[in-house]
Amino acid sequence: MFIKTIDFSKYSSIKVGQEVEVLMIEKGDILPNDRYIIGGANNLLISSNPVKLMMLSKDFAYIKECDNLLEIGASMPSGRVVSFAKKNNLSNFEFMAKLPGQLGGLIAMNAGVKEYEIFKILHSIKIDNEWVDVSDIDYGYRYARLDGVVTAGRFHINSEYNYSLEESLNALRANQPSTPSAGSAFKNPPNDSAGRLIDSVGLKGYKKGSMAWSEVHANFLVNLGGGKFEDALYLLNLAKKRVFEEFGIKLQEEIKIL
C-alpha cells in the first residue's frame, strides 16, 4: 500500500474538495478497518475535513472468467465493463452504459436504471477477501449492507448484448445535466420523484454561491464553477427542510457526504 494525494476539486465528479491523502490498497494488502473506501468519487461530496480515506489500486481493475462466472475487480470502471460486454457479446450489462463509477461503488449503492439494478445480475461479492452469496446480503433500492470492503464481484455469463435495450435506457437519462454534479442528490421516495418534489418547493435553479439545483433536473446538485462544500450542504439541507414542511416527506441522500 502507498499514499496518494488526490485533488477532489479535479477528481470528483462534482468538482468540490481539496487535496487529500488517500491510502492506496494493492493486491495482497491487509485491508485497514479505520478508513472509508472510495472509488471514482462520482457520488461523493468531500468536506474540508473528511474521514481517513482509502482506495483500491489498479490491481483490482480486471475482468476474468472463473468457474463459469465472470469475475470483475472492484476498481474496474463501468465504461470498461460495458466495452468488455459488447466485445464478447455478453448481456445484462446494458444498464451500466451511462452509469459512471467503478464496480465497487455500483455494488455499494446497488446502482441501476429503473428496474435494472446490479444486484439483480450479481452472483456473489468478495467482501474482506471472502466470497459472499448475494442471497446472504441485505440490499434494496440504492442500498446494500456489505459490512466490509468489496474487492470483486461475480456474474452469471449470458450471451447477446442488447443494443436496443442500451439505447432505450440511455434515453431515460437524456434529461440529466452535463454540468459537474454527483448524480442524483436524493433517493426517489416511494411512488414519487425527488426531482418533482424539489421543483415543487421552488428550488429548481436555486443557487447558493456557485452551487445550484440544476435547471435541467431539480434532483441534481451542480457546480457552476468553484463551488464550495458549505454551499452544497446548505442546498441539500434546504431541500430536505422545504420538502418536509410542504409534503411531510423526508428526503434521503443518495450522494455520500464525507
Side-chain angles (χ1 to χ4, degrees), residues 209-226:
S210 292
M211 302 300 301
W213 289 111
S214 173
E215 295 181 352
V216 178
H217 191 308
N219 193 29
F220 278 69
L221 185 63
V222 296
N223 186 347
L224 303 176

Side-chain angles (χ1 to χ4, degrees), residues 14-210:
I14 199 169
K15 308 304 180 189
V16 171
Q18 61 287 316
E19 289 188 348
V20 178
E21 290 189 344
V22 179
L23 183 66
M24 303 298 295
I25 307 300
E26 299 176 288
K27 186 177 181 180
D29 287 344
I30 297 175
L31 296 170
N33 57 14
D34 63 342
R35 288 179 177 264
Y36 186 91
I37 185 79
I38 65 169
N42 286 281
N43 70 329
L44 294 183
L45 183 61
I46 302 287
S47 73
S48 58
N49 187 31
V51 297
K52 292 194 292 185
L53 303 175
M54 62 180 172
M55 181 188 299
L56 300 178
S57 72
K58 292 181 180 180
D59 289 354
F60 298 90
Y62 66 87
I63 300 181
K64 66 180 181 180
E65 287 191 31
C66 183
D67 300 326
N68 296 317
L69 298 168
L70 191 66
E71 182 176 321
I72 306 176
S75 62
M76 195 69 169
S78 56
R80 288 177 61 188
V81 174
V82 173
S83 294
F84 182 91
K86 289 180 177 180
K87 182 178 179 180
N88 293 276
N89 198 28
L90 304 178
S91 65
N92 294 334
F93 297 98
E94 294 87 354
F95 73 95
M96 288 190 193
K98 289 294 184 179
L99 287 182
Q102 299 176 357
L103 184 75
L106 300 184
I107 292 175
M109 65 179 296
N110 188 19
V113 181
K114 294 297 184 179
E115 71 269 24
Y116 298 92
E117 298 176 332
I118 197 163
F119 264 78
K120 291 185 178 180
I121 64 173
L122 271 168
H123 171 273
S124 51
I125 307 171
K126 197 173 188 179
I127 303 174
D128 291 347
N129 294 318
E130 297 289 337
W131 285 102
V132 181
D133 191 272
V134 166
S135 62
D136 295 325
I137 297 174
D138 179 26
Y139 67 90
Y141 171 66
R142 303 299 175 265
Y143 161 81
R145 182 170 181 173
L146 301 171
D147 297 325
V149 176
V150 174
T151 54
R154 285 179 175 171
F155 302 81
H156 293 289
I157 296 176
N158 296 284
S159 61
E160 295 189 24
Y161 189 89
N162 190 332
Y163 286 89
S164 61
L165 175 60
E166 177 195 341
E167 185 176 349
S168 63
L169 292 178
N170 287 350
L172 295 175
R173 302 172 68 83
N175 67 334
Q176 296 183 357
S178 57
T179 314
S181 77
S184 297
F186 296 105
K187 300 177 183 179
N188 287 325
N191 304 313
D192 210 332
S193 78
R196 187 197 74 81
L197 293 169
I198 294 169
D199 190 3
S200 296
V201 297
L203 290 180
K204 188 174 185 178
Y206 188 89
K207 300 176 183 178
K208 179 72 164 66
S210 292

Side-chain angles (χ1 to χ4, degrees), residues 197 201 203 237-251:
L197 293 169
V201 297
L203 290 180
N237 289 331
L238 179 63
K240 288 193 291 185
K241 179 177 181 291
R242 287 200 184 176
V243 168
F244 183 74
E245 289 174 347
E246 180 73 20
F247 299 103
I249 295 174
K250 292 183 177 181
L251 290 176

